[in-house]
Amino acid sequence: MPYGVSQNMVEICIRGQIRLLDINEALPVKFKKSDVKEFPRLPIPSSLPKPQFQVKQSYNKSVAPKRAASYFRYIEKSPEELDQEIEYDMDEEDYAWLDIMNERRSEHSHSKVPCEIFEQLMDRYVEI
């Protein structure tokens, strides 16, 4: 099954048999009459309750802080500043893969690759 198709499928086990269901298709739902219960209808009130309120005499308005004379401006980062930023974040698969690679490297007496270096390398690789 192609990867794109498998991403739209879910695998479930029904009575010991594994079935694939398409997530985009509607599922027919069947009920037994014994499962369906009728709920009693609530009576509709003849009139709604009247809202009540009181005016408080002791309420003091708080003083709002003064507004700044100017607004904040967004200044885009330069390409040099963007090159310093690392946007790649490792996920669980990356951590597992790096652990396997570091074990292989240690068998050959090579130093381990830290997560930070891996993220830098992947960030540069994705930019290419």
Side-chain angles (χ1 to χ4, degrees):
M1 174 180 321
Y3 178 77
V5 174
S6 70
Q7 292 300 301
N8 291 330
M9 303 297 278
V10 69
E11 190 176 282
I12 62 170
C13 182
I14 301 174
R15 296 186 189 118
Q17 293 182 352
I18 296 178
R19 299 185 186 237
L20 291 174
L21 298 177
D22 190 343
I23 63 171
N24 298 315
E25 289 181 15
L27 276 177
V29 179
K30 296 180 182 178
F31 291 103
K32 297 177 188 173
K33 274 197 166 184
S34 61
D35 293 341
V36 180
K37 296 178 183 175
E38 295 247 355
F39 292 99
R41 294 188 178 256
L42 297 174
I44 299 172
S46 58
S47 65
L48 295 174
K50 302 280 185 210
Q52 297 178 353
F53 64 94
Q54 292 179 340
V55 178
K56 297 215 172 213
Q57 302 298 328
S58 63
Y59 178 73
N60 295 326
K61 291 184 182 179
S62 60
V63 179
K66 290 188 176 186
R67 292 186 182 184
S70 63
Y71 291 105
F72 291 103
R73 272 188 11 200
Y74 175 74
I75 300 173
E76 288 193 34
K77 293 182 179 180
S78 67
E80 293 80 23
E81 291 173 317
L82 289 173
D83 280 341
Q84 299 296 322
E85 220 173 89
I86 297 173
E87 297 178 14
Y88 189 86
D89 286 324
M90 290 179 68
D91 61 8
E92 292 85 15
E93 290 179 4
D94 292 331
Y95 282 111
W97 184 85
L98 188 59
D99 286 341
I100 293 168
M101 289 298 115
N102 279 335
E103 286 175 14
R104 289 183 185 172
R105 288 176 63 84
S106 62
E107 290 171 3
H108 293 50
S109 303
H110 295 297
S111 62
K112 292 185 176 184
V113 176
C115 297
E116 295 80 18
I117 300 296
F118 178 82
E119 286 181 337
Q120 280 182 327
L121 290 171
M122 290 305 294
D123 187 62
R124 297 302 178 251
Y125 178 71
V126 170
E127 287 178 6
I128 295 176

